[in-house]
Amino acid sequence: MPDAEKLKKYLVSRTPELQWAADKLQKLMCGEVIIPPMSAAALKLGQISRNENVTMEEISKVISTDPGLTTDCIRVASSSGFAARRITSIDQALMLIGMKQIQRIAFACGVMKKFTHLKSQVDWGKFWLHSVLVARLTERVAEAFRPSSGSEYLAGLLHDSGKLLLEHYFPEYFDSIVIRATERACGHVAVEPEFIGITHAQIGAAICECLQVHQEVLRAVWFHHDPFNQGLTSQPDNSKFLAACVSVADALANYLHTNISGARIVDTPFEELPEWQFLAQYQMCGGLELDLESEIARAQEDLSAFGI
Ligand SMILES: [Fe+2]
Ligand SMILES: [Fe+2]
């Protein structure tokens, strides 16, 4: 069961008279298991893949401790878009499609399954396409500066997860948020506090707490619309870098309107985004060449292969 005090830290209302919404959500998230923790194997996979010297044997050993995760990885790895041939073991999958791809599959299946029980009136296909695309792009953006730390894909995948709970528990407010954000062309996050006092980024951080993912991933989700927040500056780890990478990736996805209605409309070239400029100051950029249309096509392929 999630710790109420821990969740409270994220669910602080920005509009005092709407504190009831934050309190209601906290109660709901603590009252029943809405978002169960990721499997121990998926969490361990996240940990060990942060070590750049990790071997295929280690990855295989961790995945094999979880039969569900093993089945998912083999099923998705065998589908077209990945190896496009029949794979029967994790070792074979690792050999054929590589450690990184297996890790992506494990995270995506692990995360998406946690939300399938939420009832929704909305077609979330576009939401998951956006999430998978941002996950891929967060990796690409981070790798323009330094080798991947293993947390990028997961942070991108979870960045907007707060919207799922928001729509599930506050469907009328969610609809109003989408309408108002579309009218103002400003993105959900700018209008959410008017309706429920908290943002999907705050709810996303609470979800990450329930999933028990790494703190860097949690902070990147929490601050993906506010990567220059003072709360991140004091963090000695990768949190600020990761939050800025997710923020740039989110803007890139929004250039091509790969998102649900009411998303932020970005019209500045990405080199002029403050988040990108921050990253460019932070470290030497090795260059970022992207064909966004083909990234979307790959994200679409991934999504149909995940088959959740
Ligand atoms: Fe967001
Ligand atoms: Fe987003």
Side-chain angles (χ1 to χ4, degrees):
M1 203 71 81
D3 180 333
E5 283 310 305
K6 275 191 182 161
L7 295 190
K8 211 178 207 170
K9 179 172 145 193
Y10 312 112
L11 303 175
V12 176
S13 181
R14 297 172 183 206
T15 317
E17 59 274 23
L18 294 176
Q19 183 61 44
W20 66 267
D23 293 344
K24 178 180 169 186
L25 196 59
Q26 186 207 328
K27 228 178 236 157
L28 288 164
M29 291 180 86
C30 291
E32 52 178 308
V33 182
I34 296 169
I35 308 292
M38 295 267 277
S39 80
L43 290 173
K44 176 89 178 149
L45 188 64
Q47 262 170 25
I48 61 164
S49 53
R50 298 167 65 76
N51 168 7
E52 50 187 276
N53 299 320
V54 66
T55 63
M56 280 198 191
E57 289 72 28
E58 288 169 285
I59 300 256
S60 166
K61 219 164 135 188
V62 170
I63 295 177
S64 305
T65 59
D66 182 333
L69 195 60
T70 306
T71 313
D72 283 338
C73 287
I74 293 173
R75 174 181 58 80
V76 178
S78 306
S79 61
S80 61
F82 286 91
R85 55 178 281 190
R86 191 163 160 69
I87 289 174
T88 51
S89 71
I90 278 294
D91 290 341
Q92 195 190 2
L94 283 163
M95 292 286 288
L96 282 171
I97 68 170
M99 292 200 282
K100 197 165 192 180
Q101 201 68 288
I102 285 293
Q103 187 194 342
R104 287 177 181 153
I105 295 171
F107 283 155
C109 291
V111 163
M112 289 167 76
K113 274 190 168 171
K114 301 289 171 202
F115 296 94
T116 49
H117 60 292
L118 298 182
K119 302 256 179 310
S120 168
Q121 306 301 315
V122 178
D123 169 16
W124 287 104
K126 217 167 182 190
F127 170 86
W128 284 116
L129 177 62
H130 173 75
S131 305
V132 170
L133 178 64
V134 171
R136 294 186 69 96
L137 292 174
T138 303
E139 268 184 354
R140 298 292 307 275
V141 171
E143 283 171 355
F145 297 93
R146 61 183 186 202
S148 148
S149 77
S151 299
E152 294 85 1
Y153 194 87
L154 191 55
L157 198 64
L158 285 167
H159 81 286
D160 275 342
S161 58
K163 290 185 182 179
L164 291 165
L165 273 202
L166 213 160
E167 197 273 338
H168 182 68
Y169 287 116
F170 303 96
E172 321 77 45
Y173 290 113
F174 183 80
D175 291 346
S176 309
I177 287 164
V178 171
I179 293 167
R180 185 72 57 87
T182 309
E183 284 165 2
R184 291 193 199 158
C186 62
H188 295 194
V189 74
V191 297
E192 284 162 348
E194 290 172 33
F195 291 94
I196 52 152
I198 45 177
T199 67
H200 69 272
Q202 291 174 270
I203 303 172
I207 290 173
C208 287
E209 184 68 53
C210 296
L211 289 169
Q212 297 176 8
V213 297
H214 195 280
Q215 281 292 311
E216 279 179 16
V217 172
L218 183 153
R219 289 194 205 103
V221 170
W222 194 2
F223 296 109
H224 74 272
H225 287 291
D226 186 17
F228 306 114
N229 188 292
Q230 294 224 317
L232 277 184
T233 318
S234 55
Q235 295 299 331
D237 60 14
N238 274 325
S239 304
K240 189 168 178 173
F241 178 79
L242 198 51
C245 290
V246 175
S247 187
V248 173
D250 193 38
L252 290 169
N254 286 341
Y255 282 135
L256 294 183
H257 309 289
T258 310
N259 208 336
I260 57 173
S261 305
R264 166 187 173 199
I265 295 175
V266 188
D267 45 17
T268 26
F270 84 87
E271 297 93 335
E272 289 174 26
L273 293 170
E275 305 90 308
W276 175 263
Q277 289 180 347
F278 159 73
L279 288 170
Q281 278 168 11
Y282 188 80
Q283 286 191 33
M284 273 288 280
C285 178
L288 177 64
E289 276 180 33
L290 279 177
D291 173 354
L292 283 177
E293 294 283 0
S294 70
E295 290 291 337
I296 292 176
R298 280 198 210 122
Q300 187 77 66
E301 275 174 17
D302 289 358
L303 197 59
S304 24
F306 297 149
I308 304 289

